Amino acid sequence: MFNRLRRTRLNPLLRDLVRETRLDLDNFIYPLFVVEGEGVRNEIASMPGVFQLSIDEILKECYELKSLGIKSILLFGIPSLKDSVGSDALSDDGIIARTLRAIKAEFGSSLLVITDLCFCEYTDHGHCGILGESSVNNDATLEISAKQALIHAKNGADMIAPSGMMDGIIACLREALDKGGFENLPVMAYSTKFASAYYGPFRDVAQSAPSFGDRKSYQMDSANRFEAIRESLEDEAQGADILMVKPALAFLDIIRDIKERSLLPLCAYNVSGEYALLKAGAKLGVIDYEKVMMETLLGIKRAGADMIISYHAKEVAKIL
């Protein structure tokens, strides 16, 4: 006598009925990259289908996203002028502040706008904050991060997502937002962000490659499991509302580890390199692109992600 597990697989309707994990458009966040100018729509060679967009084109893109049923975006700013402290990120006339105002004037509360809070896109050296003698100066960067958070909040951000992996960043932003009257504005922590080679194409679109060295002194060592868990639990203790693991595919074990240790919602960032690899496989004709894409995203969800930031979101919307 043995169990016949195939009984619930033979009928396709029954397979649907017992399916444990599902992809839902409500759980997807689409990244957008805004640049200066008008009528700008620059496709990125390493990321087919992903564009740098001027503010007017961002609004058009948001209309398309809404028509597809995608309700959440993650906004990155790429200023025309960069300096050593990322001044554009600290100004109400900066690229993110102006884009936030334009999106909110057009869409109000019908679109959830999450802002990436970092300085790598805004600095001439490409690192994630103010430089010290040998690396980014953690505490000096916290000071300007608090200023940046208030700029985002005042101009309409629905949620702030600090990505620089500075120690104490969540507590710092929570204090600044609370004192500024934004105690109800949630913070999604890039709580476990690895110093990963999977970010290569992102640096093409965000123009954020470091001009020297790397980010291993502040982003996570890809080899470290327990430190990765500690990072996320520390951000939870400091007041994060949502945790995140980035990248996703090489770190599904970390997604599961954190999910088993925290009751906070967990986001996974399906990053540029993961997207580009599937696009390259499709171009070469070596994979069934749509099936592999959906299986990949399902795997991220099954590992424990409650929501997924993905460049595939529009394609998923069309399939679902």
Side-chain angles (χ1 to χ4, degrees):
M1 188 70 178
F2 54 89
N3 291 322
R4 293 186 179 273
L5 298 178
R6 291 181 57 203
R7 289 189 189 117
T8 57
R9 299 178 200 150
L10 295 173
N11 185 312
L13 297 179
L14 183 53
R15 283 200 303 272
D16 289 344
L17 192 65
V18 300
R19 182 163 292 136
E20 299 173 16
T21 307
R22 299 177 188 275
L23 295 175
D24 189 315
L25 279 186
D26 286 343
N27 304 138
F28 277 90
I29 301 165
Y30 190 66
L32 289 175
F33 301 87
V34 61
V35 296
E36 300 285 1
E38 190 174 345
V40 178
R41 189 175 179 85
N42 297 327
E43 187 170 20
I44 304 305
S46 58
M47 297 179 70
V50 175
F51 299 83
Q52 295 173 337
L53 302 167
S54 53
I55 294 176
D56 57 317
E57 293 293 329
I58 285 277
L59 297 179
K60 294 176 186 177
E61 191 77 2
C62 289
Y63 272 112
E64 181 184 358
L65 292 170
K66 283 198 66 181
S67 72
L68 291 170
I70 298 169
K71 305 169 188 174
S72 302
I73 63 171
L74 176 60
L75 191 60
F76 295 87
I78 308 164
S80 56
L81 296 175
K82 306 186 181 193
D83 58 26
S84 62
V85 296
S87 297
D88 188 89
L90 305 173
S91 169
D92 279 315
D93 292 321
I95 186 68
I96 281 289
R98 285 183 282 120
T99 306
L100 280 169
R101 293 196 296 270
I103 293 174
K104 283 302 168 182
E106 195 78 13
F107 297 98
S109 61
S110 67
L111 192 68
L112 185 80
V113 184
I114 308 163
T115 52
D116 177 82
L117 189 148
C118 195
F119 287 92
C120 58
E121 300 106 304
Y122 302 91
T123 54
D124 51 14
H125 48 73
H127 281 280
C128 296
I130 294 177
L131 290 180
E133 291 184 7
S134 59
S135 180
V136 172
N137 184 312
N138 192 94
D139 294 359
T141 300
L142 292 184
E143 290 184 24
I144 59 172
S145 296
K147 295 176 183 177
Q148 187 183 23
L150 289 172
I151 292 290
H152 290 195
K154 291 173 183 175
N155 285 285
D158 295 302
M159 180 155 53
I160 291 172
S163 60
M165 287 295 288
M166 296 296 113
D167 289 336
I169 185 67
I170 302 303
C172 172
L173 297 188
R174 190 70 271 158
E175 181 181 8
L177 291 168
D178 290 355
K179 286 183 177 178
F182 298 101
E183 61 275 2
N184 291 320
L185 188 68
V187 175
M188 177 165 68
Y190 281 69
S191 53
T192 299
K193 179 180 178 182
F194 291 90
S196 173
Y198 278 98
Y199 304 147
F202 173 90
R203 290 169 184 167
D204 294 337
V205 63
Q207 298 174 357
S208 63
S211 60
F212 64 90
D214 54 39
R215 297 181 178 135
K216 292 183 178 180
S217 67
Y218 46 100
Q219 293 178 358
M220 273 289 311
D221 186 335
S222 299
N224 291 1
R225 175 190 173 205
F226 294 113
E227 184 186 5
I229 297 167
R230 285 182 63 198
E231 283 281 6
S232 278
L233 294 183
E234 175 61 28
D235 279 3
E236 178 177 14
Q238 290 182 27
D241 299 285
I242 299 173
L243 303 177
M244 187 200 298
V245 175
K246 180 184 180 182
L249 282 184
F251 303 98
L252 295 176
D253 59 322
I254 306 300
I255 294 173
R256 171 53 55 186
D257 280 334
I258 294 169
K259 189 63 178 175
E260 289 177 346
R261 289 164 172 83
S262 173
L263 296 178
L264 288 183
L266 181 59
C267 183
Y269 201 142
N270 176 217
V271 299
S272 60
E274 297 165 2
Y275 174 85
L277 285 172
L278 292 196
K279 286 294 184 181
K283 186 175 181 180
L284 291 170
V286 297
I287 60 170
D288 183 321
Y289 174 78
E290 285 193 359
K291 288 182 179 179
V292 172
M293 174 185 71
M294 296 297 277
E295 187 175 329
T296 296
L297 295 167
L298 195 65
I300 295 169
K301 194 83 182 290
R302 191 181 61 248
D306 298 295
M307 61 202 80
I308 303 173
I309 301 167
S310 180
Y311 305 96
H312 293 295
K314 290 198 293 184
E315 296 167 298
V316 172
K318 293 171 184 176
I319 293 170
L320 294 181

